[in-house]
């Protein structure tokens, strides 16, 4: 039996998910020197995942990586299958039978909960849903966030938490020049939020935000970041952490926070309070959230492994809107094992394993569904290269003949599935750009799947899934 990837015997790989992890995995396969046929399967009609739906609209430069992804997609050895979902349109069993290997790169769109009383109250939301709402993610387009409240509390110490604070506080006129979703812009234009609290259970050294994002909080017109100087006094372990490799951003973050703390309070500006060493313990209210109770935390342990323990000291704050940003988690995929504790696929060196630790031959994972929600967009490149290296090391065991793309096309055609290829995506992107120009925006995103499909069809982009539609 010929080894896949050799002349006349292409290595047929399905990549499920078209975010950074999926595209970097495809890139690594294309650069492997082997004969490959790659099908990039995406449940939405549009690609780019986290870059499209996770990056804040006022951080347009971070989205420029999509130009690299688009170049990858133009390779004739790769084909984009948009509007095709694992478990809905094709099962894991079917994919495994059609391809030598399947790389799962579906990301981590679920959120971690606080697990405290009152979390069920109206006005308490996952920050990821808020991000999806202002970025036009279809699942979030109809969500409602009550911005008529005066006090918002954001729980978390990462860049997503800072993004949420910044969007809540940004002048609407500045947001009008971005690709923020129209429904979010309209709601933000009517916002009555006058005070924001950013809450974290650990200290400033352990916070995960980066200096650039933190510094931006000090440039918001009409707002002033406020920090209690006492929260910036470090214990010995935190002081030692400033020199550790895993805390590379901490020294600059600390300098920025000290600058915030030393700036005289200006009552003419709205307050954005940054709280450290505070953990939420309860939410309360009548028909909706009205108050949050925080408990002071003390850090203890060795440098790099400190933990926060409650001290018993409590503080109550008014809270009309609460957004939790305490981590994302993956969601189970039909037909595949799942680690409910990690919120990710169980794996060994990128090879998916079952609950007994046995490797599922031909199944691999990359990105957040593999390692959990850590790192930035570029982190996924090395991660995907590692996963593809495991796949290539297994080639001799993946020698069974596979139908690949022809089999997938036949499967989808039998169900009359409307599939969007990359030409279809370009038509959608062009339509969104034209919609944006009318309002002085770089783009006005479609937030309904049907509208995306119609834009592709009206622009004359191929909607057939016959082989002739491939690049």
């Amino acid at each position: 039996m010929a080894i896949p990837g050799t002349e006349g015997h292409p290595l047929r790989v399905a990549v499920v998910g078209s975010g950074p992890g999926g595209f970097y995995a495809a890139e690594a396969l294309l650069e492997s020197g082997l004969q490959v046929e790659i099908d990039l399967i995406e449940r939405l009609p549009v690609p780019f995942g986290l870059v499209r739906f996770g990056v804040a609209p006022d951080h347009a430069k971070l989205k420029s990586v999509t130009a690299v992804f688009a170049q990858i997609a133009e390779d004739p050895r790769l084909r984009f299958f948009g509007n095709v979902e694992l478990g809905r349109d094709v099962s894991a069993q079917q994919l495994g039978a059609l391809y030598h290997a399947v790389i799962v790169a579906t990301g981590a769109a679920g959120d971690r909960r606080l697990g405290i009383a009152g979390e069920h109250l109206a006005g308490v939301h996952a920050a990821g849903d808020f991000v999806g709402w202002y970025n036009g993610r279809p699942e979030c387009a109809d969500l409602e966030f009550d911005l008529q409240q005066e006090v918002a509390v954001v729980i978390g110490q990462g860049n997503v938490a800072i993004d949420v604070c910044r969007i809540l506080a940004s002048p609407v006129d500045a947001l009008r020049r971005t690709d923020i979703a129209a429904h979010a812009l309209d709601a933000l234009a009517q916002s009555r939020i006058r005070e924001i609290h950013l809450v974290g259970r650990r200290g400033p050294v352990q916070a995960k935000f980066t200096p650039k994002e933190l510094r931006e909080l000090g440039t918001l017109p009409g707002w002033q970041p406020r920090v209690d100087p006492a929260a910036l006094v470090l214990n010995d372990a935190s002081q030692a952490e400033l020199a550790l490799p895993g805390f590379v951003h901490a020294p600059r973050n600390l300098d920025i926070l000290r600058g915030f703390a030393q700036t005289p309070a200006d009552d003419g500006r709205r307050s954005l309070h940054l709280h450290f060493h505070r953990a939420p313990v309860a939410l309360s209210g009548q028909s909706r959230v009205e108050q949050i109770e925080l408990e002071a935390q003390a850090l203890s342990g060795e440098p790099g492994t400190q933990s926060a323990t409650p001290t018993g000291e409590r503080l109550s704050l008014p809270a009309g809107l609460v957004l939790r940003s305490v981590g994302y988690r993956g969601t189970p995929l039909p037909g595949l094992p799942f680690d409910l504790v990690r919120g990710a696929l169980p794996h060994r060196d990128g090879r998916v394993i079952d609950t007994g630790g046995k490797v599922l031959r031909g199944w691999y994972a990359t990105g957040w569904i593999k390692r959990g929600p850590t790192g930035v967009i570029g982190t996924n490149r090395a991660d995907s290269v590692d996963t593809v290296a495991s796949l290539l090391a297994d080639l001799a065991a993946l020698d069974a003949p596979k139908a690949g793309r022809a089999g997938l096309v036949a499967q989808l055609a039998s169900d009359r599935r409307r599939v969007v290829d990359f030409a279809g995506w370009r038509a959608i992107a062009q339509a969104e750009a034209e919609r944006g120009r009318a309002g002085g925006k770089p783009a006005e995103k479609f937030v309904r799947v049907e509208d995306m499909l119609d834009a592709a069809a009206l622009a004359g982009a191929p909607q057939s899934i016959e082989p002739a539609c491939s690049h």
Side-chain angles (χ1 to χ4, degrees), residues 113-184:
R113 300 182 66 84
L114 300 171
I116 62 176
E119 195 169 3
H120 66 284
L121 289 169
V124 181
H125 306 271
D129 287 344
F130 186 66
V131 172
W133 174 74
Y134 64 63
N135 273 330
R137 201 172 89 201
E139 301 93 325
C140 300
D142 292 327
L143 297 178
E144 294 184 1
F145 298 89
D146 187 358
L147 303 182
Q148 296 304 297
Q149 303 297 317
E150 293 195 352
V151 181
V153 176
V154 180
I155 303 167
Q157 289 183 310
N159 281 346
V160 172
I162 285 192
D163 283 348
V164 167
C165 290
R166 194 180 63 256
I167 295 299
L168 286 172
S170 289
V172 173
D173 285 344
L175 294 176
R176 290 188 200 281
R177 299 190 293 271
T178 74
D179 66 353
I180 190 170
H183 60 253

Side-chain angles (χ1 to χ4, degrees), residues 61-366:
K61 287 184 179 179
L62 291 178
K63 301 183 183 186
S64 62
V65 70
T66 58
V68 175
F69 297 159
Q71 188 174 17
I72 294 169
E74 296 294 345
D75 193 295
R77 295 170 291 173
L78 182 148
R79 181 169 170 187
F80 177 68
F81 284 78
N83 199 39
V84 176
E85 184 174 357
L86 176 64
R88 181 191 67 189
D89 306 305
V90 60
S91 68
Q93 183 179 11
Q94 288 169 327
L95 275 187
L98 289 172
Y99 292 89
H100 293 110
V102 181
I103 300 176
V104 182
T106 51
D111 76 287
R112 298 186 183 276
R113 300 182 66 84
L114 300 171
I116 62 176
E119 195 169 3
H120 66 284
L121 289 169
V124 181
H125 306 271
D129 287 344
F130 186 66
V131 172
W133 174 74
Y134 64 63
N135 273 330
R137 201 172 89 201
E139 301 93 325
C140 300
D142 292 327
L143 297 178
E144 294 184 1
F145 298 89
D146 187 358
L147 303 182
Q148 296 304 297
Q149 303 297 317
E150 293 195 352
V151 181
V153 176
V154 180
I155 303 167
Q157 289 183 310
N159 281 346
V160 172
I162 285 192
D163 283 348
V164 167
C165 290
R166 194 180 63 256
I167 295 299
L168 286 172
S170 289
V172 173
D173 285 344
L175 294 176
R176 290 188 200 281
R177 299 190 293 271
T178 74
D179 66 353
I180 190 170
H183 60 253
L185 188 63
D186 291 342
L188 288 164
Q190 303 300 319
S191 173
R192 296 181 58 201
I193 291 174
R194 299 293 182 269
E195 186 175 326
I196 300 172
H197 296 267
L198 178 61
V199 177
R201 67 184 178 87
R202 295 196 293 173
V205 173
Q206 296 79 34
K208 297 300 183 183
F209 36 68
T210 50
K212 177 181 180 297
E213 279 67 26
L214 179 60
R215 191 178 295 110
E216 285 179 322
L217 295 183
T219 65
L220 295 167
W223 288 82
Q224 180 179 17
R226 297 192 180 187
V227 184
D228 180 358
L232 305 181
V233 177
L234 307 182
N235 63 7
D236 290 343
S238 294
Q239 188 68 44
E241 285 172 349
L242 292 174
L244 296 181
F247 296 80
V248 62
H249 296 307
R252 283 185 293 165
N253 282 343
L254 197 58
D255 286 343
I256 295 166
L257 290 167
R258 285 170 174 159
F260 291 163
Q262 293 166 4
T263 302
D266 181 352
D267 293 334
R269 292 194 285 171
R270 301 171 186 174
S271 296
L272 199 167
H273 299 274
L274 290 91
H275 301 268
F276 296 99
H277 307 292
R278 299 277 182 181
V281 292
L283 297 160
S284 59
Q286 295 298 317
S287 60
R288 57 168 297 108
V289 66
E290 298 173 6
Q291 185 169 280
I292 185 169
E293 189 168 0
L294 307 174
E295 186 168 22
Q297 306 289 301
L299 294 178
S300 61
E302 296 300 313
T305 60
Q306 291 192 86
S307 59
T309 55
T311 67
E313 176 195 342
R314 296 201 172 188
L315 168 69
S316 293
L317 296 173
L321 176 68
V322 176
L323 298 167
R324 60 175 181 267
S325 180
V326 293
Y328 291 92
R329 57 183 289 114
T331 53
L333 298 163
L336 293 177
F338 194 74
D339 185 337
L340 291 173
V341 176
R342 292 179 56 244
L345 286 176
H347 73 94
R348 188 180 304 125
D349 298 326
R351 300 175 178 93
V352 177
I353 58 176
D354 64 17
T355 52
K358 180 182 177 182
V359 172
L360 300 186
R361 187 170 69 169
W363 284 89
Y364 302 85
T366 190

Side-chain angles (χ1 to χ4, degrees), residues 12 37 39 41 79 81 89-90 94-95 97-99 402-415 465 467:
R12 295 187 165 104
E37 179 185 275
D39 293 331
I41 298 170
R79 181 169 170 187
F81 284 78
D89 306 305
V90 60
Q94 288 169 327
L95 275 187
L98 289 172
Y99 292 89
K402 299 289 185 176
R405 181 174 303 164
L408 180 62
V409 166
Q411 167 69 30
L412 298 173
S414 68
D415 294 337
I465 55 170

